Amino acid sequence: MDVDLVAAVRRFNRTVTQRVGALDDEYMARGRPLAQARLLWEIGPGGAEVAALRSRLGLDSGYLSRLLRTLEGDGLVTVGPADRAGGDGRVRVAALTGAGRAEWSELDRRSDEFARSILAPLPGRRRERLVAAMAEVERLLVASLVVIGPCPPGDPRARACVRAYARDVGRRFDGGFDPAVSSPVHDEELVPPAGVFLLASLNGEPVGCGAVKLHPGAPAEIKRVWVSDSVRGLGVGRRMLDELERYAAERGWAAVRLDTNRALTEAIAMYRSAGYQEVEPFNTEPYAHHWFEKHLAP
């Protein structure tokens, strides 16, 4: 990693933490630090499951519990089982009290004022540049939060991604998509040493997937590459492709191949830009119109 890039990120972090008041004992002059204010905001008027808060904010369970206890002690939050609202008793839910809702509204108002105070010193065009730069930084930071790693193909998150893949291509393929007609991909083909299923997740939620089958004596085969609309355009698909290629290369495969439908124009462009070359059909997949292959570096 370039040391100048690392230094630039650290410098940016110092500027932001100072400017947004993260170093202050009292965020927005409300008598509590930023972490408590952010948690209160995330709970919101509709409440939230504790597990979802932990994933969304990336907090350690113990630290989150301490924050919640403090907010409970201040009379702003209640934490209890979801079955109080007719839900699953094993699920804990945080909800704002009347005082908590009033504090949330005040925090919302002061946050608007604070945002205006950042923009106010800048002339019009510089305001637009700052907001545009913030939007770009946000997109890239979200992209950096996406984690890609192996996942059992029978895991509920993996199943959810495969279903989302089928719905997505079904909307785009001429005549739809029927998994029963497509060439089957069996779970046992996607577990080591036969292959792998990779899951992309953001704040604990699945946002993409991909798989590779390691065919003995033949190129590895990439299957079921899918990315959620929520992270599309952030480079997650290309990262997934790179990880699948790396997985095959590290296990000794010299080439990978894949098939795709003509309707998936963005995917075709990605494959070509990643160095894939179109080849003759190597399978009888009924939904395929293009077949690609790429030689891997050792």
Side-chain angles (χ1 to χ4, degrees):
M1 185 72 69
D2 189 313
V3 294
D4 290 335
L5 294 179
V6 172
V9 170
R10 293 183 60 183
R11 187 166 56 250
F12 176 82
N13 289 343
R14 290 194 296 272
T15 300
V16 170
T17 53
Q18 179 180 357
R19 188 64 182 91
V20 302
L23 305 179
D24 299 338
D25 288 337
E26 297 185 7
Y27 184 67
M28 299 282 184
R30 296 304 295 166
R32 61 185 57 84
L34 174 59
Q36 292 179 22
R38 177 62 191 278
L39 179 56
L40 186 75
W41 174 264
E42 289 295 334
I43 293 170
E49 292 183 6
V50 173
L53 290 169
R54 184 170 61 247
S55 296
R56 194 184 311 157
L57 297 174
L59 296 177
D60 171 82
S61 297
Y63 182 48
L64 176 61
S65 295
R66 291 193 294 274
L67 290 174
L68 286 171
R69 282 199 299 270
T70 300
L71 294 176
E72 280 188 290
D74 290 343
L76 303 176
V77 168
T78 61
V79 179
D83 64 352
R84 289 188 298 188
D88 189 338
R90 296 168 296 179
V91 177
R92 296 175 67 233
V93 172
L96 300 182
T97 63
R101 288 190 292 274
E103 182 64 19
W104 187 93
S105 296
E106 180 63 16
L107 182 62
D108 184 42
R109 185 186 69 80
R110 293 192 180 212
S111 295
D112 279 346
E113 289 181 353
F114 182 63
R116 293 188 183 97
S117 75
I118 292 176
L119 295 170
L122 302 174
R125 298 195 67 172
R126 287 183 176 269
R127 291 179 190 175
E128 294 173 1
R129 285 178 56 193
L130 176 60
V131 171
M134 286 177 167
E136 180 67 7
V137 169
E138 181 185 13
R139 290 181 72 255
L140 294 174
L141 286 176
V142 169
S144 75
L145 288 171
V146 175
V147 177
I148 297 177
C151 178
D155 186 287
R157 296 169 299 167
R159 297 287 195 224
C161 281
V162 172
R163 289 194 298 270
Y165 163 87
R167 289 194 301 270
D168 195 6
V169 298
R171 288 192 294 267
R172 303 187 63 181
F173 288 4
D174 294 335
F177 174 75
D178 183 355
V181 174
S182 179
S183 298
V185 180
H186 303 293
D187 283 358
E188 58 269 22
E189 298 177 292
L190 306 182
V191 294
V196 72
F197 186 96
L198 297 184
L199 182 78
S201 57
L202 174 62
N203 297 328
E205 295 297 321
V207 293
C209 66
V212 62
K213 299 194 290 185
L214 302 178
H215 299 299
E221 186 178 3
I222 290 176
K223 303 293 291 184
R224 304 296 188 255
V225 176
W226 170 80
V227 172
S228 167
D229 288 340
S230 64
V231 294
R232 196 152 288 172
L234 299 182
V236 177
R238 182 60 179 267
R239 280 181 59 194
M240 178 64 70
L241 190 64
D242 290 344
E243 291 296 329
L244 294 169
E245 293 173 6
R246 182 179 296 112
Y247 186 91
E250 289 176 349
R251 283 151 186 80
W253 266 256
V256 290
R257 58 191 183 185
L258 55 86
D259 61 73
T260 191
N261 187 279
R262 62 190 170 204
L264 304 181
T265 53
E266 303 95 334
I268 293 171
M270 179 180 70
Y271 299 142
R272 286 178 170 149
S273 69
Y276 283 78
Q277 300 295 320
E278 196 149 4
V279 296
E280 291 298 315
F282 53 78
N283 61 21
T284 57
E285 169 59 54
Y287 292 105
H289 300 106
H290 300 275
W291 290 261
F292 290 96
E293 186 168 307
K294 178 180 179 178
H295 294 285
L296 302 174

